[in-house]
Amino acid sequence: MKWDDKPYYSLSTYYKELFNEKVYKISLDGSFTCPNRDGTLDNRGCIFCSKGGSGEFTPSTLLSITKQIEEGKALLSKKNTGHKYVAYFQAFTNTYGPLEKLRSIYYEAIMHPDIVGISIATRPDCLNEDILNLLSELNQIKKVWIELGLQTTNEQTAQWIRRGYTLNCFDNAVHQLNTRGIPIVVHLILGLPYEDTNDFFRSIEHISHLPISGVKLQLLHILEHTDLAKLYLDDHIKVLSQEAYIDLVIDCIERLPQNIVIHRITGDGPKDILIAPKWSGYKRNVLNNMMKRFKERNAFQGRLV
């Protein structure tokens, strides 16, 4: 197999191809909010989104970007076998702010000598012309990735989870970024309530025909203090078993072209706020079982393309 003996094109393989060594991501918090939280679109956030806006693993927002990077490096030092890092702006919507603030924090990150690139998680409706031009400017200095939360192509589900933008908006953002040579990583959630396997496969098929660089396949987590948690605790929705999730991920990966990098195949929600599924808190066990299942099925990325 051409991907370091893995049955799919992993992020670690991709980084080694780009930078010739192991590269780690350092999660950063730029003190952003989101149009789904500040009243522009809503004030409740997406139905699954925690109070930390997916930034529970980031350092304190009281620290500067440079100090957050140094803290992240220190945390990684025990397992670090390389000296290169990608700065990952993770919490909330990281292009949702004044242009000068964006310019300041992005440049602080990208000019750090140990940072080889920056990855910015955002929404497709928060990428105006000025921001796109800034991203293009940064991409001339070091590698820039934009991570866009799509979650699903089902418009009914999108409304139910309060995503706040249409599929056309997402597609337009992808094309705008692609024309500027900026690689795009798409986030999809597997296990959204009221969706079935055909919904998941339609989402995979849709992104497969877009000019994207990578994808994150994320298990739906039920986290404390979310509207989704209320529905789950009232027994209105169910979560996937580990076995069902593993088979679904493999089904999706077999339908993805081999040039698309798989940035994530599971997720480990913060254990202190994770309600369900509890099995997802044991990431190493999930990954081991998934590799075993790949072998049992003789499956690999792109097999069904």
Side-chain angles (χ1 to χ4, degrees), residues 25-28 86-90 119-121 147 187 216:
K25 290 180 84 170
I26 296 176
S27 295
L28 305 176
V86 168
Y88 179 27
F89 289 93
Q90 182 177 17
S119 193
I120 301 168
E147 302 196 16
H187 291 212
K216 283 186 174 180

Side-chain angles (χ1 to χ4, degrees), residues 126-184:
C126 294
L127 290 167
N128 63 34
E129 192 74 14
D130 288 339
I131 292 172
L132 288 166
N133 289 338
L134 172 59
L135 297 175
S136 296
E137 180 183 316
L138 293 162
N139 199 39
Q140 302 306 309
I141 301 170
K142 291 178 183 175
K143 196 79 172 178
V144 174
W145 294 266
I146 294 297
E147 302 196 16
L148 292 178
L150 173 61
Q151 322 312 355
T152 178
T153 57
N154 185 315
E155 296 283 34
Q156 286 185 312
T157 306
Q159 291 180 18
W160 187 80
I161 64 176
R162 300 197 296 261
R163 192 178 67 187
Y165 51 83
T166 65
L167 183 58
N168 283 340
C169 174
F170 172 85
D171 289 348
N172 181 62
V174 168
H175 288 293
Q176 289 290 328
L177 289 161
N178 183 61
T179 59
R180 291 167 169 82
I182 299 170
I184 303 117

Side-chain angles (χ1 to χ4, degrees), residues 26 28-29 59-61 63-72:
I26 296 176
L28 305 176
D29 191 328
S60 170
T61 56
L63 299 176
S64 69
I65 295 300
T66 298
K67 288 182 178 178
Q68 288 187 51
I69 291 171
E70 293 304 321
E71 188 173 290

Side-chain angles (χ1 to χ4, degrees), residues 38 123 261:
D38 69 359
R123 296 165 56 96
V261 182

Side-chain angles (χ1 to χ4, degrees), residues 290-301:
M290 191 171 293
M291 292 306 103
K292 179 182 177 182
R293 187 66 176 140
F294 263 110
K295 290 181 180 179
E296 289 174 350
R297 292 179 47 173
N298 194 28
F300 55 89
Q301 183 175 343

Side-chain angles (χ1 to χ4, degrees), residues 90-128:
Q90 182 177 17
F92 297 106
T93 304
N94 291 274
T95 60
Y96 189 56
L99 187 66
E100 287 313 308
K101 174 186 177 178
L102 301 181
R103 179 180 295 277
S104 175
I105 65 171
Y106 294 163
Y107 264 91
E108 184 176 355
I110 209 166
M111 299 309 292
H112 190 288
D114 296 328
I115 296 297
V116 294
I118 60 175
S119 193
I120 301 168
T122 191
R123 296 165 56 96
D125 55 348
C126 294
L127 290 167
N128 63 34

